Amino acid sequence: SRLQATRGAAKHERFKEEHGIVKYEKEQAKIALAGAAAKRKRTEAKIIEAIGILTAKGERVSMGAVARLVGITKQTISESYRQFFPNL
């Protein structure tokens, strides 16, 4: 059973290579990475803008306040954008 699964997987990979599917998948992966990078840049710009707004108003800059202004969760900021909050 395990041997048959291995042979089937190898056959599947050969099929993908012969029909250009591997190349297509690699191109799609590049496109996805570029899109993710662009989205991250936009989000970072929104976070910087929100921090500026809070600072200008004299309000306390916190992850929760920034999250509300940007429209993302506090958890997302904490996990992915913590570098903008070095004092927290």
Side-chain angles (χ1 to χ4, degrees), residues 12-25:
H12 179 69
E13 288 303 313
R14 282 193 307 274
F15 175 86
K16 285 171 47 175
E17 287 176 10
E18 290 169 1
H19 291 85
I21 297 170
V22 172
K23 182 180 176 186
Y24 173 77
E25 287 175 345

Side-chain angles (χ1 to χ4, degrees), residues 50-59 61:
I51 291 171
I53 290 170
L54 290 171
T55 304
K57 288 182 176 180
E59 295 180 17
V61 177

Side-chain angles (χ1 to χ4, degrees), residues 27-71:
E27 290 171 0
Q28 289 298 313
K30 278 185 189 177
I31 292 167
L33 286 173
K39 181 178 181 182
R40 182 171 179 84
K41 270 184 106 170
R42 286 192 306 271
T43 303
E44 288 176 353
K46 289 179 184 178
I47 289 171
I48 292 169
E49 181 182 357
I51 291 171
I53 290 170
L54 290 171
T55 304
K57 288 182 176 180
E59 295 180 17
R60 182 172 170 264
V61 177
S62 67
M63 287 185 192
V66 171
R68 281 189 294 279
L69 284 175
V70 174

